[in-house]
Amino acid sequence: LNPAATYEWADVTDPAASFRVQFIAMSGGRIWRAEDTYTDPVGTTYAYVGAQAGGNFWVVDLSYLSDMLPDGVDSNPIPPAGIANRAHTNYGHTITVNRELGLLFMNTANSGSTLGCQIFDLQQNPFDPPVIGGWSGSGRDCHDSVSRGNVPGTGGKDLLYSADGYSTRYRVIDISNVRLGGAPMLLGESAPVSGIYAHSSSLDDDSRYLYAFEEFNVRDIGVYDVSNPATPTLVTTFQYSGDATGNSIVHNGQVRGKYLLAAYYEAGLRVFDISNPANPVEVGKYETWRDPDGDGAFNQAITGGYNGAWNVHAFLPSGNVLVSDMKSGTFIVRID
């Protein structure tokens, strides 16, 4: 993820010698870009890139990457025919793809917006997917979302979990019939909490616990039992280990197995053991903001600002984890 009004692809196969393969200018929007990928039934992989505040929705055919021979530095193998500007201006503050369902969710993050979360059908046309539904309206900010198909204990329902921003709620929505023209239906929601911002969330592998990231620095991370989608129940809240002396803000995170990996702005990457969801324990860290070169000396201070670690990408085939930092760039880390 490149924090600029552009997009770049990098080869990170060798962490010690990663390099940029392609640069694509994408005008408009704020400095961040959000993306996700989808591979169609014939094996072609596409990247979907979104932006807010005047930014458009882009689709990139990644089949040109390392098609016949390995790509070199700035070799730019993807031709113009493989890059499409699909408009949908202001839809894409964040983007999530459910590969199993073949659905893409563009999360607008606008309070009171008629856009909310727009649902695209990738199975119809992955290079130019149509909108087939949405979760929008007053209080349905949809800053971010995560989805699961055939959720256990629901009779086979496909569910969308929306982090609804200023509403201070996390909502569970039935999207089982969206391809048949059925409107998304609210199943349940968490209780509102004064002062928080329902920013983003990540589900555990069993779709039982939802880990909620609240960017306004009140509770930081909440754990909800969503095994009954009609009644999301708060189990506990927690913060990183140094919060008492350096009050850092949390941003995004991902669950990988029994660990939660969180981009914690000025506290960097934080890793929590969530074997017991009622008592998460911090077990690892990398200080991307205070000590980016890893020499043990803090070069920056925790001020409570929006600096440092922005996002984590935890599912590379190698097992390595990418951490994007707003000042120091992309880190490639290994978590054993």
Side-chain angles (χ1 to χ4, degrees):
L1 179 64
N2 183 48
T6 59
Y7 209 79
E8 301 178 0
W9 270 266
D11 187 322
V12 295
T13 306
D14 180 359
S18 58
F19 58 90
R20 187 175 73 180
V21 173
Q22 183 137 8
F23 170 93
I24 300 175
M26 296 177 175
S27 60
R30 294 179 181 169
I31 62 171
W32 57 78
R33 291 291 184 269
E35 65 81 29
D36 210 336
T37 61
Y38 171 73
T39 301
D40 69 13
V42 300
T44 302
T45 299
Y46 299 87
Y48 303 93
V49 185
Q52 201 180 28
N56 286 355
F57 174 46
W58 293 73
V59 184
V60 183
D61 182 346
L62 299 184
S63 64
Y64 297 95
L65 294 175
S66 298
D67 188 22
M68 298 297 293
L69 297 172
D71 301 313
V73 176
D74 288 331
S75 54
N76 293 325
I78 306 174
I83 303 168
N85 180 351
R86 298 303 186 195
H88 297 295
T89 306
N90 291 328
Y91 276 37
H93 180 79
T94 54
I95 287 179
T96 52
V97 169
N98 186 305
R99 295 169 182 82
E100 174 193 6
L101 299 177
L103 296 175
L104 180 146
F105 304 88
M106 291 193 70
N107 312 300
T108 310
N110 282 343
S111 183
S113 169
T114 58
L115 298 180
C117 176
Q118 298 295 293
I119 305 173
F120 293 71
D121 187 355
L122 301 179
Q123 291 181 357
Q124 286 194 42
N125 184 349
F127 197 55
D128 190 7
V131 177
I132 59 171
W135 172 253
S136 61
S138 178
R140 300 177 178 183
D141 302 2
C142 197
H143 181 278
D144 207 342
S145 66
V146 62
S147 59
R148 285 282 169 84
N150 193 24
V151 174
T154 66
K157 294 184 185 300
D158 302 330
L159 302 182
L160 176 71
Y161 303 80
S162 179
D164 275 339
Y166 288 106
S167 76
T168 74
R169 293 173 171 89
Y170 297 88
R171 293 189 168 108
V172 186
I173 302 133
D174 184 355
I175 57 170
S176 303
N177 297 317
V178 69
R179 276 202 174 90
L180 302 176
M185 300 294 294
L186 177 66
L187 293 183
E189 62 184 14
S190 63
V193 181
S194 178
I196 73 164
Y197 183 79
H199 179 266
S200 62
S201 60
S202 183
L203 275 171
D204 70 356
D205 293 343
D206 298 325
S207 302
R208 178 172 181 179
Y209 293 101
L210 185 77
Y211 293 82
F213 308 98
E214 301 164 356
E215 195 180 20
F216 280 3
N217 204 17
V218 176
R219 304 189 309 185
D220 283 12
I221 306 174
V223 184
Y224 289 92
D225 184 338
V226 291
S227 55
N228 181 354
T231 57
T233 304
L234 182 68
V235 175
T236 191
T237 63
F238 63 100
Q239 301 182 340
Y240 88 102
S241 59
D243 195 81
T245 56
N247 193 12
S248 180
I249 303 168
V250 71
H251 194 224
N252 291 318
Q254 292 182 336
V255 174
R256 190 176 79 176
K258 68 174 183 175
Y259 296 102
L260 174 68
L261 287 65
Y264 226 107
Y265 277 120
E266 293 173 334
L269 170 68
R270 297 285 163 157
V271 182
F272 301 90
D273 186 331
I274 54 173
S275 301
N276 179 2
N279 184 34
V281 178
E282 185 179 316
V283 293
K285 64 179 180 177
Y286 192 90
E287 300 270 4
T288 65
W289 166 250
R290 290 192 291 185
D291 184 18
D293 56 10
D295 65 359
F298 286 168
N299 304 318
Q300 305 283 351
I302 291 181
T303 65
Y306 294 93
N307 309 297
W310 174 264
N311 210 351
V312 295
H313 304 269
F315 299 106
L316 293 179
S318 64
N320 293 335
V321 173
L322 304 180
V323 185
S324 53
D325 184 281
M326 298 170 69
K327 178 178 176 64
S328 298
T330 300
F331 291 76
I332 306 172
V333 302
R334 176 171 168 171
I335 301 174
D336 294 326

